[in-house]
Amino acid sequence: MPKRPQELLKTHFGYDQFLPMQEEIIGHVLTGKDALVLMPTGGGKSLCYQLPALMFDGLTLVISPLIALMKDQVDGLKANGLAAEFINSSLKAQEIYRIKDSLKEGQVKILYVAPERLANEAFRVFLRGLKVSCIAVDEAHCISQWGHDFRPDYLNLKDLREDFPKAGFVALTATATERVRRDILEHLNLRTPRIFISSFNRPNLHYDIIPRNDAFKELLGILRSSEYKNRSAIIYCFSRNDTEVLASDLCSKGLKAQAYHAGLEAGERHAIQDRFIKDETPIITATIAFGMGIDKSDIRLVVHYALPSSIEGYYQETGRAGRDGLPARCILFYSYADKFKQEFFINKIEDDLERQRAADKLNKMIAFCEGFGCRRKFLLEYFGERYEKTSCGHCDSCLRPKEEFDANDISRLILDGVRLTNSRFGGQYIVDILRGAHSERILKFGHNRLNCYGKGKDFNEAQLKEIITRIIEKGLLRKTTGEYPVIELTVQGREFLGSQERLMLPELKISVKKQIKKSMEGRDKGESYDEGLFEQLRRLRKRLADQRGVPPFVIFADTSLRQMAREMPMDSASFLDITGVGDQKLKAFGPVFIKEITDYCHQHHF
Ligand code: ADP
Ligand code: ZN
């Protein structure tokens, strides 16, 4: 009797429940139809093709752009007793022959390859001789020039469709704006695919934006706090030189940090990355070159020590924190001066369209940093997702008690100005009306006769613009997109005008405060567990990982260790109840972990 997905989930992956959407996606994939899966990092995309792979007759071919990741992924699957292999340039010819043989004998269920390999005709011929049931295209956004990781080789994947007309295609990605989404559908030639969009919200990530005044001191404080001491952290810097300087400054303060950037020699880069993955170096200071090949689930802190150049980049980099679902923190040190550094590079872009696009992305990033609204809401709405709440409770904006001022009168004047000019003008024009400007345009339209004309003179131009931005954040106005954006009155804005409500807005101009302390107080605590035991289990995990030459998280994720340190399972049955423990891991690691836990409990007289 073949096992059902729910059963396989426990026996082969060690989980009791599916994460949101996984079950639905798996059901669809099993029918052999095409699918596009959009899920945030950590959403559990891999399982959506790995689990069906166990049920299909034939092979599941996984296209993944990251050769560096394949070994870990396959090691992880093997540790769970899944017949997985990868073929890439890091393997010796001998090894490739062995794998090809087992593929021919139908002994491999999941095969990982990089897109470049499919350009090799001989390899394509070999593949055609196999029975392929499903083709999973991971990081599918790499197919789009509108994304930020374009890989030309992805464009050849379309040919696979002809090679395997019967196999279902599953494209998966964590970054997809509308445009990228369309490119994926088109370039992969998906057949009436079902599109699964799960929320991009990462509820376990806490977002903070802190004015960069005494950044080094603040950073030190955070890294030394009990929460983050010896925990994995990535600090993104602006330049190669910055990463080196920061790493050495941190080391001089007794912390273990290493710099990583594209200027280092490949072997050295690999070694640094490896030490990070193996929990030997907790802190990496890096340029954005770092991270693509990192699949570490227990990164607790991602710091942007300089302004990122786009929201896409920021979201992707912060997305590397807390993939295990436990609380993690994303801190951005913001200084308006960084804008000029970024602009310097943008101005060097020769292609007009591309330069404009880069400038737009930077402006969005600045709007994000300077905004007073909920950070999460801003991010989600940027990716086209509606977030109904106005406050998430887990970002600096939501937690920092803001100084507010009574902006009722001026806001009503602005809203009225927009209403009476029929939502047809830009912000500058509305400001001109309120300031009582004698512009030709205003006179031509007769807007100097409006009731609000010249009534906003208590505020200067910059302040009025800021007030408009804050009103937009409140949802009473909306700025349209396109070449000539205009300010429109929203339904809420109209309702507000007709009501007796009073509008308060955050104090104008970013007030520099010690924000970090306050927002740390609001941090979610997570469930409690025995920290001594947790540390001991981490050391055991590290020993086992080193013996096997795999990263620690291949043995168990932090989530599993914390649960062990909380529930203290002392027999096989209760050990199997730990999330992440399936049959294979119970057999391989159950006895040593149970012994460690039992000894610990005896020593501590629990
Ligand atoms: P993505 O590729 O979407 O970033 P992964 O596939 O790497 O995400 O999964 C993220 C984490 O969630 C991994 O540590 C994975 O083992 C875990 N995970 C996946 N499915 C489940 C599940 N059903 N229950 C608990 N954890 C899960
Ligand atoms: Zn928030």
Side-chain angles (χ1 to χ4, degrees):
M1 179 68 180
K3 289 193 176 173
R4 297 187 4 262
Q6 181 72 50
E7 267 175 86
L8 291 168
L9 182 67
K10 184 61 195 166
T11 58
H12 285 73
F13 297 91
Y15 303 128
D16 293 315
Q17 279 169 359
F18 286 105
L19 296 176
M21 310 220 50
Q22 280 180 333
E23 195 167 14
E24 230 182 314
I25 297 169
I26 288 170
H28 179 82
V29 170
L30 284 170
T31 65
K33 295 197 194 113
D34 290 358
L36 171 60
V37 175
L38 306 166
M39 253 190 202
T41 311
K45 284 185 285 299
S46 334
L47 195 88
C48 299
Y49 54 85
Q50 288 169 349
L51 193 148
L54 290 170
M55 305 179 70
F56 283 128
D57 271 354
L59 177 72
T60 292
L61 182 64
V62 184
I63 316 296
S64 163
L66 302 165
I67 291 185
L69 269 187
M70 285 183 195
K71 187 174 179 316
D72 288 348
Q73 282 166 334
V74 167
D75 282 346
L77 289 169
K78 283 182 173 167
N80 272 322
L82 272 77
E85 296 290 355
F86 68 92
I87 293 186
N88 67 31
S89 49
S90 75
L91 294 183
K92 297 207 177 68
Q94 205 80 45
E95 187 68 357
I96 295 184
Y97 286 135
R98 181 190 65 74
I99 295 170
K100 281 187 169 173
D101 281 344
S102 24
L103 279 162
K104 277 189 260 178
E105 286 163 23
Q107 286 172 356
V108 179
K109 286 270 125 191
I110 307 182
L111 178 69
Y112 282 78
V113 295
E116 298 85 79
R117 188 146 293 256
L118 296 166
N120 175 330
E121 187 53 29
F123 188 72
R124 291 265 303 278
V125 171
F126 169 77
L127 277 183
R128 271 183 236 135
L130 303 176
K131 179 172 166 111
V132 174
S133 300
C134 179
I135 295 176
V137 180
D138 209 359
E139 313 287 351
H141 59 275
C142 292
I143 210 165
S144 170
Q145 270 154 298
W146 290 93
H148 53 300
D149 302 321
F150 178 55
R151 302 261 297 220
D153 280 308
Y154 263 67
L155 293 171
N156 298 324
L157 296 179
K158 209 186 230 171
D159 302 342
L160 283 175
R161 172 100 276 165
E162 284 146 41
D163 291 354
F164 303 101
K166 292 211 184 102
F169 266 65
V170 193
L172 309 102
T173 175
T175 20
T177 47
E178 181 59 37
R179 198 156 213 149
V180 173
R181 220 175 281 179
R182 260 185 281 146
D183 278 357
I184 296 174
L185 296 175
E186 193 179 314
H187 297 327
L188 277 181
N189 206 359
L190 296 183
R191 287 185 302 220
T192 55
R194 216 175 120 187
I195 301 177
F196 296 90
I197 303 180
S198 106
S199 170
F200 273 55
N201 190 8
R202 299 280 313 275
N204 61 317
L205 298 191
H206 180 108
Y207 299 101
D208 268 313
I209 297 180
I210 305 174
R212 199 177 64 214
N213 298 320
D214 221 344
F216 184 70
K217 213 167 128 204
E218 298 221 32
L219 183 63
L220 262 188
I222 296 163
L223 292 170
R224 283 173 170 166
S225 68
S226 61
E227 183 83 5
Y228 298 108
K229 205 167 161 203
N230 283 324
R231 296 287 176 260
S232 297
I234 306 178
I235 303 165
Y236 286 105
C237 304
F238 186 70
S239 66
R240 294 173 183 187
N241 187 49
D242 290 355
T243 65
E244 307 252 355
V245 171
L246 183 60
S248 96
D249 287 352
L250 289 172
C251 289
S252 76
K253 297 286 180 188
L255 291 162
K256 261 172 128 179
Q258 279 201 298
Y260 181 105
H261 54 75
L264 298 171
E265 184 255 320
E268 193 177 355
R269 261 186 357 235
H270 192 260
I272 292 172
Q273 184 164 318
D274 206 50
R275 281 197 290 276
F276 179 63
I277 291 178
K278 291 190 174 150
D279 285 347
E280 283 161 14
T281 313
I283 305 166
I284 297 288
T285 61
T287 56
I288 53 173
F290 185 74
M292 258 301 251
I294 301 292
D295 189 6
K296 193 173 189 333
S297 65
D298 59 355
I299 296 172
R300 297 268 74 85
L301 180 68
V302 169
V303 175
H304 282 89
Y305 210 55
L307 183 68
S309 59
S310 71
I311 302 271
E312 281 91 342
Y314 172 78
Y315 181 79
Q316 190 177 50
E317 283 136 27
T318 52
R320 295 185 177 122
R323 292 180 70 143
D324 52 14
L326 296 170
R329 198 176 188 86
C330 312
I331 297 175
L332 190 161
F333 286 102
Y334 174 66
S335 150
Y336 188 73
D338 280 355
K339 178 183 183 210
F340 306 113
K341 283 196 203 171
Q342 296 279 6
E343 274 178 345
F344 177 76
F345 287 98
I346 290 177
N347 288 332
K348 285 189 177 167
I349 301 176
E350 281 178 15
D351 184 89
D352 285 346
L353 188 64
E354 229 178 276
R355 193 177 52 250
Q356 188 53 47
R357 215 186 284 163
D360 287 350
K361 291 200 166 181
L362 179 61
N363 285 335
K364 268 285 178 193
M365 191 66 221
I366 289 168
F368 173 66
C369 295
E370 300 211 324
F372 277 86
C374 171
R375 311 291 183 195
R376 191 177 310 274
K377 187 177 172 69
F378 188 106
L379 288 173
L380 293 177
E381 290 182 350
Y382 181 81
F383 289 109
E385 183 172 330
R386 278 186 73 100
Y387 188 69
E388 299 298 341
K389 291 190 266 183
T390 47
S391 158
C392 73
H394 285 290
C395 71
D396 63 316
S397 293
C398 290
L399 287 172
R400 180 179 62 216
K402 280 175 258 210
E403 306 282 334
E404 293 194 318
F405 77 105
D406 186 339
N408 198 51
D409 296 343
I410 185 67
S411 302
R412 283 183 181 273
L413 285 169
I414 291 173
L415 290 168
D416 230 14
V418 174
R419 180 176 66 91
L420 293 169
T421 56
N422 299 317
S423 301
R424 283 197 346 251
F425 296 89
Q428 180 66 50
Y429 189 79
I430 302 295
V431 169
D432 287 347
I433 294 179
L434 279 139
R435 301 264 312 140
H438 298 283
S439 83
E440 212 176 302
R441 214 156 153 235
I442 289 180
L443 300 178
K444 188 177 96 193
F445 286 116
H447 288 154
N448 53 334
R449 292 194 298 272
L450 294 178
N451 182 39
C452 60
Y453 181 76
K455 295 260 173 70
K457 284 186 180 156
D458 291 348
F459 297 88
N460 67 28
E461 202 172 309
Q463 286 171 324
L464 286 173
K465 283 186 186 160
E466 198 181 336
I467 293 172
I468 292 179
T469 307
R470 304 285 161 251
I471 301 177
I472 292 175
E473 280 173 7
K474 290 267 178 189
L476 306 183
L477 290 175
R478 175 174 51 224
K479 186 171 178 181
T480 62
T481 51
E483 206 175 343
Y484 301 107
V486 302
I487 305 286
E488 293 177 343
L489 194 63
T490 61
V491 177
Q492 290 107 296
R494 204 169 290 277
E495 275 169 14
F496 174 79
L497 274 178
S499 76
Q500 297 294 316
E501 268 176 71
R502 290 193 79 75
L503 187 69
M504 301 292 287
L505 287 179
E507 205 53 78
L508 297 180
K509 291 235 172 68
I510 303 175
S511 55
V512 183
K513 284 224 188 72
K514 288 276 166 206
Q515 297 165 7
I516 186 78
K517 283 207 195 70
K518 280 197 188 117
S519 58
M520 277 181 108
E521 285 159 15
R523 185 187 59 223
D524 46 347
K525 288 281 186 286
E527 282 182 82
S528 64
Y529 55 89
D530 189 297
E531 287 178 23
L533 177 56
F534 177 66
E535 285 306 327
Q536 207 156 316
L537 294 177
R538 275 184 99 218
R539 282 195 292 273
L540 171 63
R541 175 177 68 175
K542 173 81 180 116
R543 274 202 307 281
L544 294 169
D546 286 349
Q547 281 163 13
R548 287 166 176 72
V550 297
F553 61 79
V554 164
I555 311 276
F556 284 122
D558 270 12
T559 352
S560 304
L561 295 194
R562 285 199 192 182
Q563 199 185 347
M564 290 177 205
R566 181 163 55 241
E567 293 172 11
M568 306 182 180
M570 288 191 240
D571 56 55
S572 302
S574 36
F575 195 72
L576 196 57
D577 282 342
I578 301 291
T579 181
V581 179
D583 293 353
Q584 190 74 19
K585 289 205 174 160
L586 175 66
K587 216 161 65 196
F589 308 119
V592 267
F593 274 84
I594 290 172
K595 176 161 188 315
E596 191 84 14
I597 295 167
T598 315
D599 289 352
Y600 182 89
C601 291
H602 283 315
Q603 277 163 24
H604 293 81
H605 309 288
F606 286 145

